[in-house]
Amino acid sequence: MIDMLRQPFMVHALVAALLVGAAAPAVGVFLVQRRLSLIGDGLGHVALAGVAIGVLTRQQPTITALVAAAAAAVVVEFIRVRGHTNADVALAVMFYGGIALGVVLFAKASSADGMSIEQYLFGSILTTGADQLWQFALLAVVAVGATTIFRKRLFAVANDEEWARAAGLPVVATNLALSALTAVTVVMSMRIIGLLLISALMILPNATGQLLGRSFRTTTLWAVIVGCVCGFIGVASSWQFDTPPGGTTVLAAVVVFLVASMVHTASTVARVRAARRSGHPHEHHDGCGHDAVLHDDHVDYVHDGHRHTAAGVEEHR
Amino acid sequence: MNAPVVQLRDASFGYAGAAVVSGVSFAVRPGEVVAVLGPNGSGKSTVMKGILGLNDQLSGVLELFGEPAGQLRSRSRIGYVPQRHTLSTSVRATVREIVEVGRLPLRPWWRRATDADRAAVDAALAEVGLFDLAGSDVSTLSGGQQRRVLIARALAGEPEILVMDEPTAGVDTASQQVLAEVLRRLAASGVTMIIVTHELEALRGVVSRIVEISHGQLTFDGVPAEWARFQARRIAAVSANGHHHPSDHEPHGARAPYGLGPLDSRANPVGGQHD
């Protein structure tokens, strides 16, 4: 395992995997919140067309892919705002049109350049040069930086758009910023995880984070940690067992999620049993059947002649 | 007399150029608690969303804080408490995290939360009786508790008027009592409120004035005592004519119209007729 770090290309790969592992869940949590989990997948389809155009016209594929994905992201947002009845059909046309165009253009380009479409569809982290790594590092800093700085605003708009509009928050700008960040994340990840797999790394670590954290802040933090760990596993396993890093990273994310959900279920069952044994199984809330009394800064529940707070404090303050 | 917080003069609101309500005039003065009544589809929510700037104002005048609505710089001076549970619960979020959002419109994006922000969030949580649940995941709370989270979010922005859409709808009686208690507490501390509601009975003793919107028009504006007399006259007229259209005036069918009697007991601080 230590040998791995003596190889410069493996160190590059590891850095790249950790960057994607942090950035993808950090952006993805807002997609989960807005129930747009699969948008990253569609943008990846369109990005392939961008890559093919770049290869064909001998431009930087990263740049052309970024333009294509960002344009698609803005169109998605526009279709969503318009509330068109056939929105999902419109998205399907765009996404499948994108990947089909990519496949056709690639076939024309690869004969000349020896570029393979698989490198972009499934990632090829080990053939990523230092110059491209710098591009990806820059994009990762943009993605993680922006989601950190704008975390509360992105959260507010994704949580309750109507309220955000009434309160005067810049809803359209915030949503467009999230679209742009999604495009950035898809493009930086295409050589590392692959365009067909990147959406998984935006969503799965967040599914795990939801099980491990108790607040939005801690769930996001957990998701980023899980993303980085899975990225590391992907690269290390490619060195150790000669597996494709992109696929291994996503498989690791799936396994981590399954283990976390089993542990979560087991601990929930244990907690319910413990509560039943304690003889006080009831957690009070408004309408739980006990009289509720608004008292100072909390609500008390009258219960067998004594009062409880919802937090379960026996003694009345 | 105090300048009105909200002033509507012959105002029409609607969507995509089509008016849903038209020719509505009324004013809300500081300290008033105005209930906006009306059957489903009457346009009462449209009026409320018009005041909030969430739909199109097609004609007439809407003044907020004495200025034309379009010139309002800081929309957070109006605290909005949405009706349905608009909170997305697709990800975990604590009560405090939701309420903190109420402070965001008050500061530029580059500034972090200050002690004043945290103190305002604490105060808002205490006001609605959720201080001890600040760390709970909102999706684990009851419907009534979630409504109180939404009220706290609005209060955190320290608004000059609260606009609430059906705050007591769809929650059980015990929760309604707690919510009414919270609203009473706010009214007693002089908070101006517009409450769109079906359930006037749940707001007994809180409301100082009643406005009724029906079929896209303003059909009543007065104090609760006048409302009771108005309803009695309406029923008498309907029985005398032998025509009875329950759906016109009684959204709940057989139910007594908007709870007579108990509201009469409260003295109205503002006085009778309004423009």
Side-chain angles (χ1 to χ4, degrees), chain A residues 33 160 210 216 286 296, chain B residues 86 90 92 97 148 185:
Chain A
Q33 195 185 6
D160 190 341
Q210 291 300 308
F216 184 75
D286 298 359
D296 209 13
Chain B
T86 52
S90 47
R92 271 179 205 270
E97 281 175 319
R148 287 192 277 137
R185 190 189 250 187

Side-chain angles (χ1 to χ4, degrees), chain A residues 298-309:
Chain A
H298 60 281
V299 173
D300 287 330
Y301 299 89
V302 182
H303 164 49
D304 296 336
H306 60 277
R307 283 169 159 192
H308 275 224
T309 66

Side-chain angles (χ1 to χ4, degrees), chain B residues 80-96:
Chain B
Y80 175 36
V81 182
Q83 172 194 7
R84 60 183 190 280
H85 180 223
T86 52
L87 289 172
S88 159
T89 47
S90 47
V91 295
R92 271 179 205 270
T94 63
V95 170
R96 176 170 269 279

Side-chain angles (χ1 to χ4, degrees), chain A residues 29 32-35 149-153 155-156 158-160 162-163 165-169 210-211 213-217 219 264 284-287 290 292-299 301 309-311 317, chain B residues 49 52 54 75-76 80 82 84 86-94 97-98 100-102 104-105 107-109 113 125-126 128-133 137 142 144-145 148 153 172 174-175 178 181-182 185:
Chain A
V29 70
V32 174
Q33 195 185 6
R34 295 182 64 196
R35 300 182 193 273
I149 294 169
F150 294 109
R151 184 172 62 91
K152 289 196 172 172
R153 282 170 179 255
F155 171 81
N159 187 257
D160 190 341
E162 190 191 49
W163 180 86
R165 263 202 304 144
L169 287 173
Q210 291 300 308
L211 299 171
R214 294 189 55 120
S215 63
F216 184 75
R217 202 176 72 85
T219 51
H264 181 77
H284 293 288
H285 57 83
D286 298 359
H290 295 112
V293 184
L294 179 67
H295 187 275
D296 209 13
D297 64 357
H298 60 281
V299 173
Y301 299 89
T309 66
R317 277 189 280 173
Chain B
K49 291 197 171 165
L52 291 163
L54 292 173
R75 291 223 70 96
S76 57
Y80 175 36
R84 60 183 190 280
T86 52
L87 289 172
S88 159
T89 47
S90 47
V91 295
R92 271 179 205 270
T94 63
E97 281 175 319
I98 300 285
E100 277 172 349
V101 162
L104 287 182
R107 60 173 193 262
W109 60 267
L125 286 168
V128 301
L130 282 173
F131 197 77
D132 56 344
L133 289 174
D137 183 350
S142 72
Q145 286 169 323
R148 287 192 277 137
R153 178 179 64 182
D172 55 275
S175 304
V178 175
E181 200 56 53
V182 166
R185 190 189 250 187

Side-chain angles (χ1 to χ4, degrees), chain A residues 3-304:
Chain A
D3 311 342
M4 182 174 98
L5 298 176
R6 295 214 181 94
Q7 304 290 337
F9 74 96
M10 285 310 287
V11 174
H12 286 172
L14 205 57
V15 170
L18 292 180
L19 289 173
V20 172
V27 173
V29 70
F30 300 106
L31 300 179
V32 174
Q33 195 185 6
R34 295 182 64 196
R35 300 182 193 273
L36 292 172
S37 291
L38 297 175
I39 269 320
D41 208 31
L43 295 187
H45 286 27
V46 178
L48 187 73
V51 170
I53 290 168
V55 172
L56 203 63
T57 59
R58 297 180 187 280
Q59 304 290 316
Q60 280 281 347
T62 311
I63 308 291
T64 51
L66 198 54
V67 171
V74 170
V75 173
V76 169
E77 188 54 30
F78 182 72
I79 290 173
R80 201 190 61 81
V81 170
R82 285 278 301 276
H84 208 279
T85 42
N86 285 329
D88 59 332
V89 176
L91 295 186
V93 169
M94 183 168 71
F95 295 162
Y96 297 124
I99 198 161
L101 185 66
V103 169
V104 170
L105 293 182
F106 238 108
K108 288 288 162 202
S110 58
S111 52
D113 281 287
M115 297 285 288
S116 115
I117 195 169
E118 279 84 12
Q119 287 180 345
Y120 290 94
L121 284 181
F122 303 109
S124 70
I125 198 168
L126 303 179
T127 63
T128 306
D131 55 328
Q132 268 189 321
L133 194 65
W134 277 111
Q135 292 173 350
F136 297 153
L138 187 72
L139 293 178
V141 169
V142 168
V144 174
T147 47
T148 308
I149 294 169
F150 294 109
R151 184 172 62 91
K152 289 196 172 172
R153 282 170 179 255
L154 288 164
F155 171 81
V157 172
N159 187 257
D160 190 341
E161 201 170 301
E162 190 191 49
W163 180 86
R165 263 202 304 144
L169 287 173
V171 171
V172 175
T174 308
N175 283 337
L176 283 177
L178 181 61
S179 299
L181 286 173
T182 311
V184 162
T185 309
V186 166
V187 170
M188 68 172 279
S189 318
M190 66 186 179
R191 288 299 298 273
I192 298 160
I193 302 295
L195 288 172
L196 286 186
L197 290 169
I198 174 53
S199 200
L201 203 60
M202 296 175 95
I203 306 309
L204 289 176
N206 281 305
T208 310
Q210 291 300 308
L211 299 171
L212 300 178
R214 294 189 55 120
S215 63
F216 184 75
R217 202 176 72 85
T218 53
T219 51
T220 312
L221 214 58
W222 272 113
V224 168
I225 292 169
V226 168
C228 289
V229 167
C230 293
F232 177 82
I233 291 172
V235 172
S237 139
S238 77
W239 171 258
Q240 208 76 10
F241 308 110
D242 197 24
T243 53
T248 320
T249 300
V250 172
L251 271 186
V254 171
V255 170
V256 169
F257 170 72
L258 290 177
V259 170
S261 53
M262 278 187 278
V263 170
H264 181 77
T265 309
S267 76
T268 308
V269 169
R271 205 172 329 119
V272 169
R273 285 212 182 120
R276 224 176 266 153
R277 269 198 305 276
S278 76
H280 219 126
H282 187 79
E283 208 168 289
H284 293 288
H285 57 83
D286 298 359
C288 64
H290 295 112
D291 279 343
V293 184
L294 179 67
H295 187 275
D296 209 13
D297 64 357
H298 60 281
V299 173
D300 287 330
Y301 299 89
V302 182
H303 164 49
D304 296 336

Side-chain angles (χ1 to χ4, degrees), chain B residues 197-235:
Chain B
T197 188
H198 263 112
E199 293 157 327
L200 197 49
E201 256 175 300
L203 302 175
R204 187 176 301 181
V206 180
V207 172
S208 65
R209 206 169 113 221
I210 291 166
V211 163
E212 188 198 44
I213 312 272
S214 191
H215 302 299
Q217 308 269 319
L218 186 88
T219 44
F220 178 83
D221 180 1
V223 295
E226 291 168 342
W227 170 252
R229 284 196 293 276
F230 176 70
Q231 286 291 72
R233 267 203 311 278
R234 185 183 266 173
I235 288 167

